[in-house]
Amino acid sequence: MRAVPLAARVYVVSAALLVAVCAAPALTPAADVPWATAALLAALYAAGARRPPSHACPPLSPPPPAVAPAVTASPDWCGPALLAGAFLLPAPAAALVAVPGALLGAVERRPAGVRRLWRAARLALAAYAASLVFGLCGGGEALAATLADPATAGEPGFFPYALVPAAVAALALGLTAAALEGGVLMAAEGRSPRAAWRGRVLCSLVPHLVHGLAGLAMAVLWRSPYGPPAALLVLPPMYVCARVFALCHRERAAHQATVRALVQAVDIKDRYTRGHSERVGRASAMIARELGMNGDRLEALRIAGVLHDVGKLGVPTRLLRKNGPLTPEERRAIELHPEYGHEMVRGIGFLSEAREAVLHHHERLDGSGYPYGLAGADIPEAARVVAVADAFDAMTSTRTYRRARPVPAAVEELERCAGAQFDPRMVVALARALDRHGWPATPQEEARPVRDHVRGRTAGHAPDRVPAHAPDSGPDRAADQRGNVPSGRASARPPEAARPGRGGGA
């Protein structure tokens, strides 16, 4: 069981005590709380939160922190019941609606008690904040006026005025939940505020806004002549939407698992460059982001960088791990790895643009690269991005045949080769991204110590200075031996009909 740090325990207990303070006024004899409504909404939320549609989804990332759940792109499908409570009940009672469901809900990781307590405290405080904001914005009066005379529900003086307070209250709920979750991450894992809250606010506001409007519809129907049964009709569409989202979430997880399995297979086979693929994916994403790409395109470039060397699975292991110089035949065998990789991934539909990068990431702008000798704009953009990221990580990583270069020296070498080997736009984008974000140090234990005879002290091998080119161990040495000039098969251009298309097809 993963231990919860003391700071995180104190944070959770403090949040729970704050909930007790906020909810205490509802338990006083003078409180005018419609307990029947509160109990029904709490039971409804508990029934939905007990087994959400996304329960069976596999994890997308490493294990979540000790207390906070992994960030999700939407709240529970029964979230409108929580917001309906914020609209229909006083703030102290609204805070209690989420508590039974949070305490009884399934917990996939230990410690279960701390996780349940934290989930209940976070949701209760968020619901309390939403109810307060709804009242301060005049939503209670607008809703009460609408419910007092159903005949006026269509007039512009009542129900439309409740829409804005409901939306603001839903945003307050999302912001409060995200802020509390970021705080527990800071306490549990020692993250900086920027790292703890980055991406959490935006991914929660839109779903909570939708749930706020659905919660307002539930509140109106709940107090209408048709009563609570009519309000329940709001939830089935929300369940269907949540189910569709869960299926998309699961499909995305399956895609990531496929990529992860391929990368792990490459790392197992070529253990001396372990971690290289992930770092190339990171550098490719940095370049793509600097070029203004985002969303699916950015993710495609990251996956392209991660999978660029998957073709090494088709190269004999003895060549990838060979310490001495390579023969011409061995070089030609290694230079087939882009085509091997393309054959492996071309049937995986979701990889799309990544297939082009796998096949063409060793092409050069001057046309002397391999496997097809493409030049200039004929080289797909994804391949030009990955080529720069690939060479950069090669130069800044220690390999069996040479030591790592400092980042400034690697960037200088990329700039020297820009125009002939690399796309200058990609080189400039990487340099700007490195200036802005830096680059983490490469663990030296990923490669064996550099052997003296590999460092140029034995005749017949490459000198200590390594030009920027193919980053994986075998091709890197192959390029060193031939002076960075493609050999026979690599430099021969196939006839136009034999070349694969820009989409990466066979």
Side-chain angles (χ1 to χ4, degrees), residues 229-317:
L232 296 180
L233 297 178
V234 175
L235 292 181
M238 302 302 299
Y239 178 85
V240 172
C241 293
R243 184 64 183 172
V244 171
F245 174 82
L247 292 176
C248 295
H249 185 79
R250 189 180 308 172
E251 182 180 3
R252 182 179 178 84
H255 292 171
Q256 294 189 358
T258 300
V259 173
R260 193 179 303 117
L262 291 172
V263 172
Q264 288 176 346
V266 174
D267 285 346
I268 290 172
K269 184 165 186 175
D270 190 7
R271 62 178 180 270
Y272 298 140
T273 59
R274 187 167 299 164
H276 168 69
S277 297
E278 293 292 343
R279 292 193 300 272
V280 172
R282 184 187 306 126
S284 299
M286 290 172 65
I287 296 173
R289 190 177 292 110
E290 195 68 28
L291 293 174
M293 303 178 191
N294 50 44
D296 292 342
R297 187 81 193 283
L298 178 62
E299 179 65 9
L301 266 295
R302 188 192 68 81
I303 293 177
V306 169
L307 289 181
H308 75 286
D309 270 347
V310 68
K312 289 199 293 187
L313 293 173
V315 177
T317 305

Side-chain angles (χ1 to χ4, degrees), residues 388-442:
V388 172
D390 194 12
F392 171 76
D393 183 70
M395 290 186 287
T396 55
S397 303
T398 294
R399 299 296 173 84
T400 59
Y401 47 90
R402 55 145 175 83
R403 295 199 182 279
R405 294 186 184 188
V407 169
V411 173
E412 182 180 351
E413 180 69 12
L414 290 173
E415 292 172 346
R416 186 185 69 83
C417 298
Q421 182 172 353
F422 304 116
D423 189 329
R425 288 178 59 240
M426 313 309 175
V427 174
V428 171
L430 178 61
R432 289 178 178 172
L434 292 172
D435 288 340
R436 183 177 291 111
H437 305 291
W439 183 254
T442 302

